[in-house]
Amino acid sequence: LECFASPMNARYARFCSAHPATDAAFGSLGSFFQFKPTSGSFESNPPFDDATISKMVLHMESLLKGAKGPMSFAIIIPFLPDQVGWTRVQ
């Protein structure tokens, strides 16, 4: 499942998006930050701003701590070593 997608770029039928009210008809499950899976593998290519990346990492850490089964995240972000979000991913 894609954590940050839209109907225009989603690869899979179900995805999380920033605009669930308009994207639900196209398969959006809502905002990633409201998404609460207990297992699974997820792909995350968030907007490349520090605040979003930091918030994403905090949410992922929370999900991993509460996981009931195997859980993994593939994270795609640029190399930004001076950003707080990048250091949180490491």
Side-chain angles (χ1 to χ4, degrees):
L1 184 113
E2 296 172 84
C3 300
F4 294 89
S6 76
M8 301 301 285
N9 71 1
R11 171 81 169 108
Y12 305 105
R14 306 297 282 169
F15 56 91
C16 292
S17 70
H19 306 285
T22 56
D23 296 348
F26 302 100
S28 175
L29 297 171
S31 168
F32 171 66
F33 301 112
Q34 303 304 313
F35 186 55
K36 308 283 191 218
T38 57
S39 65
S41 294
F42 308 95
E43 179 270 329
S44 183
N45 186 2
F48 299 151
D49 68 274
D50 194 44
T52 301
I53 293 170
S54 294
K55 186 176 177 182
M56 173 196 73
V57 172
L58 290 173
H59 185 57
M60 288 176 174
E61 289 172 344
S62 174
L63 293 173
L64 288 165
K65 286 178 186 170
K68 304 286 188 233
M71 182 178 286
S72 64
F73 293 93
I75 301 170
I76 296 91
I77 59 172
F79 179 67
L80 300 168
D82 59 327
Q83 300 289 319
V84 173
W86 172 262
T87 59
R88 296 228 17 124
V89 169
Q90 293 180 345

